[in-house]
Amino acid sequence: MWSRLVAVVAVLGLQAEAAAKNPVSNAGMCKLAKTLDGKVLLATATCCVGYARPMNYLCPANTGDETYAKTTKQYLMDCDGEIPDGVIIAKGPGDVSKALAYAKAANVAFRVKSGGHSQACLSTVKDGVVLSLESMKKVEYINHDDGSVFVTIEAGVTLTELRADYTANSDVYFPHGLDPWIGAGGHFTGGGVGHLVRKFGFGTDFVVGMDVVLPSGEFVQVFEPEYEERLTGRLSVYNERDRQLLWGLKGSGHANFGVVTKFWMRTIPRPAYVVLGKYSYNIADKTSVEEYWNSMCGYYSKAPEDETAGERNLLVWPMVSNNREGPGFLMRFIIYYIPDNNSTAQGALNEATPVVNAFLTHVKGLTYHSGGIEAVAESGQFPNLVDPSASRYAPTCVSRIVPSREDVCNRDGWIGKFADFIYDEITAFPSRGTTLFTYFDKWGGAASLNDADFERTSVSTRNAYGTIQFCRIPLNVATRDTNAMINGEGGTKDFNDSVLADVGNGWYLNFLDTLATEPEQIYTEPAVYQRLQKVKNVYDPTNVLDRPLGVPLPGSEFLADSTLALVGASAPTVTDYCALSGALEGAVLMPAMGCCGTSAVPPGFPCAADPANGNLSYAESHNRVLVDCDDLKPNAVIIARSALDVTKSLKFIKERDIDYRIRSGAHSQSCASTCSNCVVISLEKMKGIDYVTSDTGATFMGVEPGVVLKELIADYQDHSDVYFPHGLDAPVGLGGHLGGGAVGYLTRKFGFGADFIVGVELVLGNGKFVQVYDQDYEEQLLGYRRAHNDEDQDLLWAVKGNAHANVGVVTRYWMRTIPRPSYMVKGFYLFGAQSAAHLQSFWGSVCKFYSVDDESPKAKNLIMWPFVRSGNQLMLQVYYLPDRNDTASGALAEAAEVLNEFLVGVTAPLITQSIQAVPDKMQFDNILNDQGGRTTYSCTSRLVRKREDVCNNWAFLDSFADRMWYEMENPVEDQTFFAYFDPWGGAATTNDPDFVKSSFMGRHAWGTFQYCRTPVGDVTRETLWATVDKFDSLIASQISDSWYVNFQDRTTTNRSQVLFVPEVNERLQTIKAKYDATGVFSSPLTVTLPERGW
């Protein structure tokens, strides 16, 4: 998979510079607006005439709502020239997906913003489009049973709003910054540095999950494995890629790989009290500035791992700025201390005081001006975050990551350069028309220790000593000159060139400025940078999210290096299988014995002889039914006993990118439920059957996929007087049977088994466990109605006829039922064929009987299976479900009327017959007495799309009769044959003629035709197949090139032969894209993902 992605990118040259962008089209934006829950704001007022929504809904003059002027007004005055042509206001992930599709199709310059606080102006773009998440502002709390509290925050929540919300609604929080206007989207994908960084780490360290819209438009949820089940109640089937995506977004997100719409955060208790303060000192000369800086260096001299808990609790911000209380400038140390003993103000102060005093011992040679510390209630510590007084940011700033202490403390001459510049600018004040401030943000502590090896996050500057920033502030905003503040004497570029150039050439992602020019200056760890490029290549290979300083696509030379592959598709080891087995309710079966002798689970538990699973062995389980599939031997069979087992198994498989199949009864004639050098997930031990009686008296059955037809029949005969349509082959599992339509002896009277599905429980491709019910039956089953949307009904529609692991793995079906009759009529007629003419008359009688579209009710009660078989035998197998079924004689009399209509046209001599009315409980004795065994015959089949294909088609009739007569007269040694027709029609067609309630494509067919060869001696499978293939090429191919999904065979070669109704297939593909967007379920002949397009 990865090699294919690499090849596509390399061939297309997608790592090259992006093509020139197109101008923004108002018409295109208005077309987009009609599809959104949010809105589009444009620079021109005549944009949407003729569109369904009111013009002012989209355009500038929109009083009381977001207007173009308001929304494009930049928080940072530095960015005033970067005005987009349009803004897309997203209200949810669906809007984000549509906006990305638009940007890709229209090829317009595109940016994403949550708060608009990027100092490098990366959240806006001139002559382009901005996707604004500012209206996505939900904050929600999840209280887990174990006492943990989690918080979900949407990307447009600002730090002001976040702080106000958790202060009002909870006693927990997590690390974040202090600037009130910053949006959560950029803040937490960029690291989330703030006042708690030394004690607890970055805000990103507390992200345990994200909702993300990928550049492809797909919506995904990714979680840290150890938190996912606690948050969602299940384990998702996400592979190594998904974990790499979460890793990339946690520290290097910023719309590099997708747009994060929601963060899932773990929390910590908020202290009752914290200690705040500041110590200010006078600036006498350059030496005092040097001493001031040396004080910080003296205190922060330890490596993070050597710091005490108290030292990590203390954060000191050195800052030089105007004296707000009087003239001149001051050097300040801003103090923030988070006490462990915080239940009282005095306790907090007592703990903080010695630690702060230890810092103050390093402050030497400075003249004290003012200051001290105090304990304050945590809830009231940041009044500026509750009611920010300013709406725009006037300073122009430059910053730099300080890689190590030596870069700003022990390097010869650097402190002198810093002191010279600061003192000279203070002396020049106010001649520049600006003032200044500079500060240092010390990291270390938990910031470095939480993830020192970058295993969980991609904050590549994590191990830095901290960040230094220098800003110019206009004295008069009205005459603010951005160019002078950057390029003028004493400006930010001057500070950069004369002071910061010696520090290094790296930036913290959330403190970018206009002087950063290359991505490598942000993603400063080479290994992190290379890994980020791999993530980019997987999730945004066409560079939809291309922006300045974003993670670039790797070059072709980089991609050609196989050692840099994001995921190596490694085969699971025995230890891997043993670990999985220990995590399951079921087990893992493998060919070798003794595999787990050194693992925590008992020796032999997941191996060939497995007492815990009824002594089911690998030999028995790898291929239980069809001899045709014996040459396909999986590396392991995972026996699932629950939906959670299914989820864990899929997760295991997709993490390792290995091939797999899913099976319930292993009855697929095309061997689609097994494979070689792969893993099979077997549902054969999921055998629950439940009965639910509603208040209306209706009875429903809940059946798990491993129940076989023999077990189903035995159970409902013992426990109820109801049933639903199903087949008659004893070993067929309900998982595939019902999911593929479920044709059987009740088809013509009541319809397919799939028509009786009213609910399903299933595991989706992302691992989510869902329950979906038909809205007409949900309240009867559950006792109440749930708020589920149309997508749920789409999913149910897809499962009813095309379940076969297309959109998920069904772990239970809920079935409506009908009363079972007291008596039914069953039996057979056996005729002798003495010529090809007898074959034609026999088949002609079938054609004549099943010739009327508007069949009588009694005709629908009858199903006859005509068989042609070795020994010159023509057999008619009969099932009749009488309306009058309270007595045997009444049932038999009613059936005779209908059967006689058929028998009139048969010219072959009758050899014997056996037609009788039997009590319902006796009708399936042959199935219930089936001792199992294995199916040895090989078959080919075709769907008979319409009657004319096999009745009025004389070429077929002649070929069929001649061939059957030839095979009767020329028997093949060690083989017998049979051919039969399974007529449909009746309720099979009329239940859902327009595919409104189900996706079963064979519904309008006349029936199915099948031809099989059975070995009776020592004959090879190849010889048997050769005979079957000959018949297929001579006869079956004349019928059609379509297959009933449950009767596929070895000659079925492409999806269109099974998925042959275009409008149904298109809808299935759309549903596939919603529920299995990454193609977790991608077995042969299953529904494919659609081509993406605008």
Side-chain angles (χ1 to χ4, degrees):
M1 175 167 60
W2 308 111
S3 59
R4 290 200 297 273
L5 279 170
V6 166
V8 168
V9 174
V11 169
L12 295 179
L14 294 173
Q15 69 278 4
E17 292 184 11
K21 297 298 181 181
N22 295 328
V24 176
S25 161
N26 281 356
M29 289 283 278
C30 291
K31 176 183 175 184
L32 170 66
K34 293 177 65 179
T35 71
L36 299 176
D37 293 325
K39 57 181 67 69
V40 169
L41 305 175
L42 297 170
T44 56
T46 58
C47 55
C48 298
V49 175
Y51 285 88
R53 287 182 172 177
M55 184 174 70
N56 68 353
Y57 186 82
L58 304 167
C59 302
N62 194 2
T63 304
D65 205 341
E66 296 102 332
T67 64
Y68 172 82
K70 174 184 173 184
T71 306
T72 57
K73 187 176 183 179
Q74 304 302 310
Y75 168 70
L76 293 157
M77 292 184 181
D78 273 354
C79 306
D80 277 351
E82 298 291 319
I83 305 300
D85 291 333
V87 179
I88 302 167
I89 306 291
K91 295 288 188 180
D95 283 357
V96 173
S97 179
K98 292 167 186 175
L100 288 171
Y102 163 78
K104 182 178 180 181
N107 189 33
V108 294
F110 185 77
R111 298 289 184 272
V112 180
K113 90 170 178 182
S114 59
H117 198 267
S118 167
Q119 293 185 17
C121 305
L122 297 179
S123 54
T124 187
V125 60
K126 188 176 182 181
D127 301 326
V129 173
V130 167
L131 169 60
S132 171
L133 310 180
E134 294 164 282
S135 293
M136 298 176 65
K137 291 186 176 295
K138 287 183 183 177
V139 180
E140 296 177 314
Y141 301 86
I142 301 170
N143 295 298
H144 193 267
D145 293 342
D146 65 5
S148 303
V149 179
F150 299 90
V151 181
T152 65
I153 52 175
E154 289 190 325
V157 175
T158 65
L159 297 187
T160 295
E161 295 160 339
L162 174 64
R163 171 74 192 176
D165 197 286
Y166 71 60
T167 300
N169 296 305
S170 78
D171 57 1
V172 297
Y173 68 167
F174 46 82
H176 60 74
L178 295 177
D179 197 322
W181 305 276
I182 290 176
H187 186 58
F188 292 112
T189 57
V193 71
H195 57 294
L196 305 181
V197 69
R198 286 180 43 75
K199 183 175 178 66
F200 297 116
F202 292 97
T204 292
D205 300 338
F206 283 67
V207 175
V208 296
M210 295 184 185
D211 291 3
V212 189
V213 179
L214 301 180
S216 64
E218 299 158 13
F219 173 76
V220 298
Q221 291 181 303
V222 286
F223 295 92
E224 293 286 1
E226 63 265 41
Y227 290 97
E228 182 180 23
E229 193 166 5
R230 294 162 69 187
L231 284 167
T232 66
R234 44 85 180 175
L235 290 173
S236 67
V237 185
Y238 60 81
N239 57 22
E240 182 68 17
R241 261 195 331 176
D242 297 319
R243 286 206 293 274
Q244 297 284 358
L245 174 64
L246 185 60
W247 172 86
L249 292 169
K250 288 176 63 171
S252 299
H254 278 208
N256 275 317
F257 325 110
V259 178
V260 178
T261 58
K262 182 189 288 186
F263 298 89
W264 300 67
M265 313 293 294
R266 64 183 176 91
T267 65
I268 45 180
R270 290 203 335 268
Y273 292 90
V274 295
V275 176
L276 304 179
K278 61 183 175 182
Y279 292 88
S280 301
Y281 299 87
N282 295 319
I283 302 176
D285 49 29
K286 295 178 182 178
T287 301
S288 61
V289 178
E290 291 180 352
E291 292 299 333
Y292 165 77
W293 192 264
N294 278 321
S295 300
M296 185 274 298
C297 289
Y299 181 73
Y300 285 126
S301 61
K302 293 181 181 179
E305 61 270 20
D306 296 329
E307 294 177 308
T308 67
E311 288 168 339
R312 292 174 193 166
N313 291 353
L314 175 63
L315 178 62
V316 178
W317 283 301
M319 179 181 294
V320 179
S321 64
N322 286 83
N323 177 9
R324 295 179 182 179
E325 292 80 29
F329 286 76
L330 292 174
M331 301 177 293
R332 297 183 176 92
F333 294 110
I334 310 298
I335 303 293
Y336 191 93
Y337 188 88
I338 310 110
D340 298 315
N341 179 12
N342 60 66
S343 58
T344 66
Q346 190 59 51
L349 196 60
N350 289 344
E351 180 185 324
T353 299
V355 182
V356 174
N357 286 341
F359 167 76
L360 294 175
T361 61
H362 293 273
V363 180
K364 300 174 181 177
L366 299 180
T367 303
Y368 175 79
H369 179 276
S370 60
I373 59 174
E374 62 177 332
V376 300
E378 197 278 338
S379 58
Q381 64 175 308
F382 296 124
N384 64 314
L385 277 180
V386 178
D387 183 23
S389 57
S391 60
R392 303 201 65 203
Y393 192 73
T396 290
C397 300
V398 65
S399 69
R400 197 70 94 249
I401 279 287
V402 180
S404 67
R405 179 179 180 276
E406 289 69 25
D407 292 313
V408 293
C409 291
N410 295 341
R411 179 169 292 168
D412 291 342
W414 186 87
I415 294 177
K417 290 181 181 180
F418 170 77
D420 285 347
F421 190 96
I422 297 299
Y423 188 76
D424 287 348
E425 290 306 306
I426 290 173
T427 304
F429 177 82
S431 62
R432 313 270 195 231
T434 62
T435 184
L436 66 86
F437 73 86
T438 183
Y439 75 93
F440 179 68
D441 196 356
K442 177 67 178 75
W443 293 358
S448 299
L449 298 175
N450 279 359
D451 186 30
D453 298 325
F454 310 106
E455 287 301 315
R456 302 181 73 93
T457 69
S458 56
V459 183
S460 61
T461 50
R462 175 179 295 280
N463 293 326
Y465 188 59
T467 61
I468 184 172
Q469 191 165 46
F470 173 83
C471 302
R472 304 279 349 183
I473 308 168
L475 296 176
N476 185 345
V477 173
T479 59
R480 183 181 188 277
D481 186 342
T482 301
N483 182 62
M485 293 199 315
I486 296 174
N487 296 309
E489 186 176 0
T492 55
K493 188 175 186 304
D494 197 354
F495 184 83
N496 178 79
D497 295 344
S498 58
V499 179
L500 293 184
D502 289 339
V503 174
N505 197 29
W507 277 259
Y508 166 46
L509 180 57
N510 276 354
F511 286 177
L512 291 176
D513 56 55
T514 55
L515 297 178
T517 58
E518 300 295 335
E520 292 91 336
Q521 296 171 325
I522 308 163
Y523 313 105
T524 53
E525 288 284 337
V528 172
Y529 184 51
Q530 289 183 350
R531 190 173 169 190
L532 288 169
Q533 286 186 289
K534 300 168 201 173
V535 178
K536 176 75 170 180
N537 186 52
V538 171
Y539 285 95
D540 190 17
T542 57
N543 210 17
V544 174
L545 298 171
D546 63 331
R547 63 173 183 81
L549 301 177
V551 173
L553 284 163
S556 57
E557 197 172 298
F558 176 95
L559 291 170
D561 183 354
S562 60
T563 63
L564 297 176
L566 180 62
V567 177
S570 58
T573 64
V574 168
T575 301
D576 292 334
Y577 282 122
C578 291
L580 172 63
S581 187
L584 300 177
E585 295 176 47
V588 178
L589 307 177
M590 291 185 287
M593 291 290 290
C595 58
C596 298
T598 59
S599 95
V601 295
F605 174 72
C607 304
D610 183 12
N613 280 279
N615 286 319
L616 187 66
S617 70
Y618 172 85
E620 292 173 314
S621 184
H622 93 271
N623 179 24
R624 295 190 299 110
V625 178
L626 296 167
V627 175
D628 262 359
C629 306
D630 272 354
D631 59 330
L632 300 175
K633 291 182 171 58
N635 295 332
V637 178
I638 302 172
I639 306 295
R641 287 185 172 270
S642 65
L644 186 57
D645 276 4
V646 173
T647 294
K648 291 176 180 178
S649 301
L650 287 170
K651 180 177 181 290
F652 175 88
I653 287 166
K654 296 310 292 181
E655 281 177 346
R656 291 155 180 82
D657 196 25
I658 52 179
D659 195 15
Y660 73 103
R661 298 290 184 272
I662 299 170
R663 73 158 191 238
S664 57
H667 201 268
S668 167
Q669 293 185 16
S670 63
C671 303
S673 57
T674 188
C675 48
S676 286
N677 297 319
C678 70
V679 172
V680 168
I681 301 176
S682 174
L683 312 178
E684 61 195 293
K685 290 295 180 180
M686 297 180 66
K687 292 185 178 294
I689 301 177
D690 297 301
Y691 299 85
V692 175
T693 301
S694 72
D695 293 340
T696 64
T699 299
F700 299 90
M701 293 179 66
V703 292
E704 290 189 333
V707 176
V708 299
L709 291 179
K710 175 180 176 178
E711 295 162 340
L712 174 70
I713 293 167
D715 197 282
Y716 69 59
Q717 286 194 346
D718 287 344
H719 296 100
S720 78
D721 57 0
V722 297
Y723 65 169
F724 55 83
H726 57 75
L728 295 175
D729 201 330
V732 169
L734 291 185
H737 184 59
L738 290 171
V743 67
Y745 69 107
L746 303 179
T747 296
R748 288 176 43 74
K749 184 174 179 70
F750 296 116
F752 296 100
D755 298 338
F756 283 66
I757 297 172
V758 295
V760 291
E761 298 173 7
L762 71 166
V763 178
L764 301 179
N766 65 358
K768 183 179 181 182
F769 174 74
V770 296
Q771 295 171 298
V772 190
Y773 299 94
D774 187 309
Q775 291 171 329
D776 293 336
Y777 293 94
E778 181 179 29
E779 192 166 4
Q780 293 186 63
L781 276 165
L782 300 180
Y784 59 92
R785 287 187 179 275
R786 299 177 308 155
H788 63 247
N789 57 23
D790 291 339
E791 287 186 357
D792 294 323
Q793 296 303 302
D794 279 344
L795 182 59
L796 184 61
W797 176 88
V799 167
K800 293 171 65 172
N802 278 284
H804 287 198
N806 277 313
V807 292
V809 179
V810 177
T811 57
R812 185 186 300 269
Y813 293 95
W814 286 99
M815 312 296 297
R816 64 183 176 90
T817 63
I818 46 178
R820 297 207 320 272
S822 298
Y823 290 90
M824 57 89 60
V825 177
K826 62 179 290 189
F828 67 90
Y829 295 91
L830 186 63
F831 304 92
Q834 298 174 352
S835 67
H838 285 161
L839 286 161
Q840 284 187 332
S841 73
F842 182 67
W843 190 258
S845 296
V846 175
C847 290
K848 182 179 179 181
F849 184 82
Y850 293 120
S851 62
V852 181
D853 290 336
D854 187 16
E855 297 177 291
S856 67
K858 289 182 179 179
K860 294 176 184 177
N861 291 353
L862 174 65
I863 186 163
M864 298 180 295
W865 289 297
F867 280 80
V868 179
R869 62 189 194 184
S870 298
N872 293 61
Q873 294 180 346
L874 308 175
M875 186 178 77
L876 190 69
Q877 190 170 347
V878 173
Y879 271 89
Y880 187 85
L881 285 85
D883 299 318
R884 190 175 63 194
N885 61 63
D886 54 335
T887 66
S889 59
L892 198 59
E894 181 183 319
E897 296 175 20
V898 185
L899 286 169
N900 287 336
E901 293 179 28
F902 175 84
L903 297 173
V904 171
V906 182
T907 61
L910 179 65
I911 299 174
T912 186
Q913 71 179 62
S914 174
I915 302 294
Q916 56 184 321
V918 297
D920 170 73
K921 283 203 172 185
M922 293 176 57
Q923 66 166 304
F924 298 122
D925 285 351
N926 60 321
I927 298 174
L928 297 176
N929 292 328
D930 189 309
Q931 299 302 307
R934 306 193 63 209
T935 299
T936 59
Y937 49 75
S938 298
C939 301
T940 184
S941 69
R942 281 299 190 286
L943 193 67
V944 181
R945 299 284 291 275
K946 56 184 183 298
R947 177 180 177 275
E948 290 72 20
D949 292 332
V950 293
C951 290
N952 297 340
N953 182 348
W954 289 105
F956 169 78
L957 289 171
D958 288 343
S959 298
F960 172 70
D962 289 346
R963 181 65 195 177
M964 291 292 92
W965 181 246
Y966 174 82
E967 293 199 11
M968 286 178 173
E969 291 295 287
N970 299 276
V972 178
E973 185 179 1
D974 295 330
Q975 298 180 35
T976 61
F977 78 89
F978 65 89
Y980 77 96
F981 174 66
D982 191 358
W984 293 358
T989 301
T990 58
N991 277 2
D992 186 28
D994 298 320
F995 308 107
V996 173
K997 293 186 175 181
S998 73
S999 60
F1000 182 60
M1001 296 192 198
R1003 183 174 295 282
H1004 293 288
W1006 199 52
T1008 59
F1009 178 88
Q1010 193 164 43
Y1011 170 87
C1012 302
R1013 280 273 172 179
T1014 305
V1016 293
D1018 187 15
V1019 58
T1020 65
R1021 303 312 297 180
E1022 288 75 15
T1023 301
L1024 212 61
W1025 291 338
T1027 313
V1028 172
D1029 290 346
K1030 185 172 184 179
F1031 181 89
D1032 183 82
S1033 62
L1034 291 173
I1035 307 299
S1037 59
Q1038 295 185 43
I1039 299 174
S1040 75
D1041 194 30
S1042 301
W1043 277 259
Y1044 164 42
V1045 66
N1046 273 356
F1047 282 1
Q1048 299 173 44
D1049 58 50
R1050 292 180 305 104
T1051 59
T1052 316
T1053 56
N1054 64 70
R1055 290 173 171 86
S1056 63
Q1057 296 170 323
V1058 180
L1059 307 166
F1060 48 79
V1061 180
E1063 62 271 24
V1064 176
N1065 188 41
E1066 288 175 9
R1067 185 177 174 189
L1068 283 170
Q1069 287 185 302
T1070 302
I1071 296 169
K1072 172 87 168 175
K1074 291 179 183 177
Y1075 291 97
D1076 185 24
T1078 57
V1080 171
F1081 303 112
S1082 55
S1083 300
L1085 304 180
T1086 56
V1087 175
T1088 57
L1089 286 165
E1091 293 292 329
R1092 296 211 171 268
W1094 167 239

